[in-house]
Amino acid sequence: MRGLLTGVAIGLAIIALAVLGGRWWLDQRVTELLARRYDVPLTPLAVPTDSASRAEGERQAWLHGCHGCHDSQLQGKVFLDEPRVMRVVTPNIPEVIASYNDAELARLIRHGVRRNGTGVVAMPVGTFYETSDLDLGRIIAHLRAAPRVTKTLPPTRLYLLAKLAVLRGELLPEAATMDHRAPRLGDRSDTTQAWRGEYLAKSICGECHGPTLHGHLEAPPLARAMGYSAAEFTSLMLDGRSRDGRDLPLMGRTARSRFVRFTKQEIAAIYGYLMVMPTTPQHAAATPVSR
Ligand code: HEC
Ligand code: HEC
C-alpha cells in the first residue's frame, strides 16, 4: 500500500513538473516572439505647427479611431478584458510619445514599430499605412498638443489562450507580416473624388472591414452598402442607423462617436467608391496601384 502511494505521489509530482515546465517554456517562447525587432527605416515627415492643422489633425485622429481606443483624452484605457484570453490596455499617448521624435512616431503609426524596434500587436497599423504624409503630419501635430496627464492604468496581460495564439502565429505584430514597401494610397498625386473615396474607405473603414473592404470578423463586406441610397448611407455614417432599422451594435457606436466628423463631401466620396469598388478580393488585390 505504501509503495502504491509513493508511486502515485511520484507520478503526480512528475505531471506537476511537466505542467510547470510547459508553462515556463510557453512564457519564454511568447516573450521571445513578442520581443522580436523589426528593421524598418525612419523617414522624415513634415509636422505643421499652426492651429488650423492641429484642429484638422484632431478630426483625423477621431476618424482614424485613435481616440476610440486610447480614450477621448488619449490617456489610455482598458480596451479589452477577456478572461482566459487577454487584457489589452492602451497606453497614455502624450506620456509615451514624449520620448519619440516625429519620424519615429510616423513609423509607429504606419508600420507598428516602436522606438526600440519591437512591434505593437493590437493597433490597426496596416490601415494607417495608407494615410498620406499631409494627414499623418496633422495627426502628429494634434498628438503633440494633447495635455500630458498622469493616469494609473493596469498592465496588459496575455492569458493562456492568447499565449497559445502567439505561439501559433495568430497573434503577432502586424509589422511581422505587412509589406513595409507597398505603394501607399495616400501618396498618389490624385485629388479626384474617386481617389478620395477609396483613400478614406481603405485608411479608415479598412480597420474593421478588412484591407480590401471585403469583410473581416463581424464586419461584413462593404458591398453591403450597395443596398443603401445616398441619403440612407449618409444617415448610417452620421447617426449609425441601418436602412432597415436593424441594430448595428459596433457600427452604430463607431459612426456616432467617429464618423459624425466626416463632411458631406467625404461621405459622398466614400459612397461613390463603394458603389464601383471591385467585388471580389482577388480582383481588388490584382488592381494595379499607381503612385
Ligand atoms: C483598435 C485600437 C487602436 C487604435 C484605433 C489605435 N491604437 Fe494605438 N495602440 C493600441 C494598443 C492596444 C496599443 C498597445 C500596444 C500593442 O498594441 O501591442 C497601442 C499603442 C500605441 C502607442 C504606444 C507605442 C509604444 O511605444 O508602446 C501609441 C503612441 C499609439 N498607440 C498611438 C496611436 C495613434 C496615433 C492612433 C491613431 C492614428 C492609434 N494609436 C490608434 C490600440 C489602438
Ligand atoms: C470599429 C469597427 C468598424 C469600423 C471602423 C467601420 N465599421 Fe462598418 N461595421 C462594423 C461592424 C462590426 C458591422 C456589422 C454590424 C455591427 O455589428 O455593428 C458593420 C456594418 C457596416 C455596414 C452594413 C450595414 C448593414 O445594413 O448591415 C456598412 C454599410 C458599413 N459598416 C460601412 C462602414 C463604412 C463606410 C465605414 C468607414 C467609413 C465603416 N463601416 C467603418 C464595424 C466597423
Side-chain angles (χ1 to χ4, degrees), residues 63 200-201 204-209 216-226 228 233 236-237 242-244 246-254 258-259 262 270 274:
L63 288 173
L200 292 167
I204 295 175
C205 319
E207 172 194 343
C208 299
H209 290 277
H216 181 64
L217 303 176
E218 331 85 282
L222 280 188
R224 184 75 66 86
M226 297 269 190
Y228 279 71
F233 185 74
L236 171 71
M237 289 294 105
S242 68
R243 61 191 286 265
D244 49 11
R246 253 172 319 113
D247 189 29
L248 306 173
L250 181 56
M251 183 62 204
R253 214 169 345 116
T254 305
R258 288 168 50 179
F259 302 153
F262 275 132
I270 297 174
L274 297 182

Side-chain angles (χ1 to χ4, degrees), residues 97-279:
I97 65 171
S99 61
Y100 274 74
N101 65 34
D102 292 337
E104 289 166 341
L105 196 44
R107 182 180 65 175
L108 168 76
I109 297 169
R110 278 180 173 161
H111 299 268
V113 177
R114 288 195 187 88
R115 196 161 171 264
N116 66 6
T118 60
V120 293
V121 177
M123 201 159 112
V125 293
T127 314
F128 299 157
Y129 181 82
E130 303 293 356
T131 307
S132 68
D133 285 355
L134 186 64
D135 287 341
L136 187 59
R138 289 162 168 170
I139 290 177
I140 293 179
H142 161 61
L143 302 181
R144 293 280 184 218
R148 204 168 149 183
V149 179
T150 311
K151 182 169 171 182
T152 313
L153 295 164
T156 285
R157 281 261 155 78
L158 300 191
Y159 306 122
L160 186 61
L161 293 180
K163 286 179 189 169
L164 292 173
V166 172
L167 197 64
R168 286 196 300 264
E170 295 159 2
L171 186 69
L172 284 179
E174 219 170 318
T177 48
M178 67 187 280
D179 177 357
H180 293 282
R181 290 199 259 180
R184 186 189 312 288
L185 253 178
D187 279 355
R188 284 198 218 167
S189 54
D190 188 343
T191 48
T192 56
Q193 268 298 84
W195 168 80
R196 186 114 205 112
E198 180 176 7
Y199 170 65
L200 292 167
K202 292 199 174 151
S203 64
I204 295 175
C205 319
E207 172 194 343
C208 299
H209 290 277
T212 56
L213 311 177
H214 290 91
H216 181 64
L217 303 176
E218 331 85 282
L222 280 188
R224 184 75 66 86
M226 297 269 190
Y228 279 71
S229 69
E232 286 165 343
F233 185 74
T234 305
S235 166
L236 171 71
M237 289 294 105
L238 301 179
D239 316 315
R241 272 205 302 265
S242 68
R243 61 191 286 265
D244 49 11
R246 253 172 319 113
D247 189 29
L248 306 173
L250 181 56
M251 183 62 204
R253 214 169 345 116
T254 305
R256 285 185 295 272
S257 63
R258 288 168 50 179
F259 302 153
V260 280
R261 289 171 179 78
F262 275 132
T263 63
K264 292 269 162 62
Q265 290 88 326
E266 285 171 333
I267 294 176
I270 297 174
Y271 182 71
Y273 176 68
L274 297 182
M275 294 305 116
V276 300
M277 74 169 185
T279 47

